């Protein structure tokens, strides 16, 4: 499973498409930043780009990691360095 947060000004479609080749599931979240795309926005893109990858959302990155851990191991945090720093 992948916990994914992406900044709104990045190539969201391309990033989700690339991640979908390796993800068993997505848990979309957002780091604390006004630049971050909302988890709902990311889920909408995922439904269009990677409809076969199960998707859930959480506004809290720590909760997103817990949710992903329930889906399998290892959990990969991807997308934004802001998100990686926040969950670290």
């Amino acid at each position: 499973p992948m916990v994914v947060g992406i900044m709104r000004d990045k190539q969201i479609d391309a990033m989700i498409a690339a991640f979908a080749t390796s993800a068993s599931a997505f848990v979309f979240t957002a780091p604390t930043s006004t630049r971050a795309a909302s988890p709902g926005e990311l889920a909408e893109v995922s439904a269009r780009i990677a409809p076969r990858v199960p998707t859930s959302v959480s506004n809290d990155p720590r909760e997103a990691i817990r949710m992903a851990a329930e889906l399998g191991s290892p959990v990969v945090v991807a997308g934004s360095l802001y998100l990686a720093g926040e969950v670290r």
Side-chain angles (χ1 to χ4, degrees):
M2 286 189 180
V3 174
V4 177
I6 303 172
M7 294 297 151
R8 192 174 290 113
D9 61 339
K10 300 303 177 189
Q11 295 179 356
I12 294 172
D13 290 24
M15 292 175 73
I16 289 176
F19 296 153
T21 64
S22 301
S24 61
F26 286 129
V27 181
F28 293 111
T29 192
T32 306
S33 172
T34 57
R35 288 180 46 223
S38 76
E41 290 171 315
L42 298 176
E44 287 176 15
V45 172
S46 182
R48 183 171 39 81
I49 300 292
R52 291 194 167 104
V53 180
T55 298
S56 55
V57 299
S58 174
N59 289 322
D60 178 3
R62 290 185 187 102
E63 177 62 22
I65 290 175
R66 284 189 284 275
M67 291 168 65
E70 292 177 7
L71 300 172
S73 177
V75 172
V76 175
V77 177
S80 170
L81 289 176
Y82 289 94
L83 176 61
E86 193 168 320
V87 300
R88 186 168 187 257

